[in-house]
Amino acid sequence: MKTTIHNHLRGQNGCLGFYYGLASLLSAYPEGGLPGEFFINGETQSIWIWDSTGRSWYDTNHVAPSPFMGIITEPATFSPAVESGVQACFIYVAGGKGAYVFPALKGSAAMTVTTDSSAIITLVWDGTAWRNYVTSLTFDDAVRPVYLYRGAWNPSFTYRCTGGAADVVYFMGKYYQVKFSVGSTTASPASSNDWEELSRFCAIADEIKLKPNGLVLLDGQQTIRVSSELSSWELCNGEISHKETGTFLSQAGELRVPIGDGEVVISPLQKGIVVYSGDGDKVFQIGLGAAGEALLKMTRPIENGSCEVSISPRQIEISRLDGTGLPVYRSSFTADGLNCALKKWTDILSEGDIYVDENNFVRQKKGA
């Protein structure tokens, strides 16, 4: 009796099974295949692979021995009931390079098959003994799953490679995917052979769904928007902005946070934190001075200038500046003492002021 169809559970090793002719396969899968899927075509006696770019099946011209009996899902437990004098052929899809051991073959010692890449391993029972053939898969879609990036490896998570999708994790500076033959694992890439290292991995997406009510979106203006019910951020033209508060990170690397009519700026250019008033004046600054030491500076605008207090590890300085920022008066207090300028008798004096009179005597203003 000629076998016409030997179907198989979709997603296991990428093989859809045995079909006599392309029409027979299309009747079962009219929507086409998935990346990495293939089937054995009994009419052409070859393996056909799904081309996801051209959206069609194509003949690899790789001969599929007959009679084909089934797909091997687990080498360690594979033990078919073959008969003496009756030929049989089985296929296993190796997800990557390695040594694959088949310890339970009837009438044979454990067989080890080694491959340097993803490959189709064909085991043939010629009626008296087992033989094996290895055909490397170099097609773009062959045995290549959809990768699901799961972030940094987490010991509390279970990672899987099922249904044509393989979990990928980041671990100790490298990316790893769950092997085809594993199914699921909780072990780390460092302590288990359940993982295969990826030489290169890059996640690209037009839309990434996050937690409920959260979304990452790349729109036509090349703006990335991350939003939730209460908050949203945008990345556009090299700036990151928070839509609800107006906080944004500029192209110059300055973080600007609005407060009332003014704003707080954390700036690498100004070497610190600066608070601006609504008029754009610097009223408070914490950072590094010209000598590279810590500096606290407070400024209060006044008519025709400003008053300024600067505190550094070396001194406390109080200044009155004119409209151009040049000092009119300046007093400083250091570990060595007080250095200041006294008012003159010609200045506007208030009760209690200490001043120098016209004879260069130091006096204190008493009364109005």
Side-chain angles (χ1 to χ4, degrees):
M1 181 179 70
K2 182 173 67 175
T3 301
T4 56
I5 292 180
H6 179 91
N7 55 22
H8 192 68
L9 180 62
R10 188 169 204 172
Q12 279 195 352
N13 300 322
C15 183
L16 298 181
F18 179 93
Y19 291 84
Y20 194 83
L22 180 59
S24 179
L25 180 280
L26 293 177
S27 66
Y29 299 99
E31 74 283 2
L34 298 174
E37 288 188 333
F38 68 94
F39 74 98
I40 290 85
N41 190 328
E43 184 177 29
T44 61
Q45 286 295 296
S46 61
I47 295 173
W48 289 53
I49 287 182
W50 175 251
D51 176 9
S52 59
T53 302
R55 301 290 302 168
S56 62
W57 294 97
Y58 66 92
D59 189 353
T60 68
N61 293 317
H62 170 69
V63 177
S66 180
F68 172 74
M69 301 299 292
I71 303 298
I72 303 170
T73 57
E74 178 52 61
T77 58
F78 175 63
S79 183
V82 293
E83 299 178 11
S84 178
V86 180
Q87 296 183 357
C89 170
F90 302 86
I91 285 179
Y92 177 70
V93 180
K97 66 179 181 179
Y100 297 84
V101 181
F102 301 84
L105 297 178
K106 181 179 179 181
S108 171
M111 177 181 292
T112 300
V113 182
T114 303
T115 174
D116 294 329
S117 65
S118 299
I120 295 176
I121 297 176
T122 305
L123 298 186
V124 176
W125 170 254
D126 63 8
T128 60
W130 287 96
R131 294 179 284 111
N132 68 81
Y133 305 92
V134 177
T135 303
S136 297
L137 291 175
T138 57
F139 312 105
D140 288 341
D141 284 334
V143 201
R144 183 171 297 173
V146 174
Y147 291 124
L148 300 178
Y149 182 53
R150 302 287 300 278
W153 179 80
N154 189 319
S156 62
F157 290 174
T158 297
Y159 299 98
R160 296 179 171 83
C161 181
T162 58
D167 285 345
V168 174
V169 298
Y170 184 74
F171 182 77
M172 297 184 67
K174 298 179 180 179
Y175 293 96
Y176 296 86
Q177 76 160 84
V178 179
K179 288 183 177 179
F180 285 86
S181 58
V182 172
S184 66
T185 181
T186 58
S188 76
S191 62
S192 169
N193 290 323
D194 295 344
W195 299 87
E196 179 180 353
E197 181 182 340
L198 296 174
S199 59
R200 182 175 178 270
F201 181 78
C202 180
I204 302 175
D206 295 323
E207 184 175 297
I208 304 174
K209 292 186 177 181
L210 302 176
K211 296 178 180 179
N213 303 313
L215 180 69
V216 174
L217 178 65
L218 178 63
D219 63 20
Q221 286 72 44
Q222 299 301 299
T223 298
I224 297 178
R225 183 178 299 111
V226 182
S227 62
S228 64
E229 290 182 326
L230 304 176
S231 181
S232 60
W233 290 85
E234 283 189 356
L235 170 59
C236 184
N237 296 324
E239 294 185 347
I240 301 175
S241 59
H242 187 247
K243 308 307 293 182
E244 286 70 27
T245 64
T247 297
F248 75 96
L249 182 64
S250 71
Q251 293 183 6
E254 293 185 330
L255 178 63
R256 295 179 172 266
V257 182
I259 51 169
D261 295 332
E263 65 176 350
V264 177
V265 179
I266 301 177
S267 172
L269 304 177
Q270 302 188 60
K271 299 180 180 180
I273 302 173
V274 182
V275 179
Y276 290 90
S277 67
D279 297 326
D281 298 317
K282 293 181 182 179
V283 296
F284 186 82
Q285 184 175 359
I286 300 176
L288 298 177
E293 60 185 8
L295 176 67
L296 170 63
K297 184 182 292 187
M298 293 172 283
T299 305
R300 178 176 175 266
I302 60 173
E303 187 177 358
N304 299 324
S306 62
C307 294
E308 184 178 275
V309 177
S310 298
I311 302 175
S312 73
R314 293 185 297 108
Q315 66 179 16
I316 299 175
E317 187 175 271
I318 303 174
S319 306
R320 179 176 177 179
L321 311 177
D322 62 19
T324 64
L326 295 176
V328 178
Y329 299 111
R330 176 165 289 167
S331 301
S332 62
F333 180 73
T334 69
D336 298 325
L338 178 65
N339 182 2
C340 63
L342 297 178
K343 287 185 175 182
K344 300 178 181 179
W345 81 96
T346 55
D347 294 332
I348 298 175
L349 301 174
S350 301
E351 184 177 3
D353 284 350
I354 297 176
Y355 67 98
V356 178
D357 67 12
E358 62 274 22
N359 298 314
N360 282 332
F361 287 101
V362 177
R363 295 182 181 277
Q364 184 176 27
K365 175 68 173 178
K366 293 183 180 180

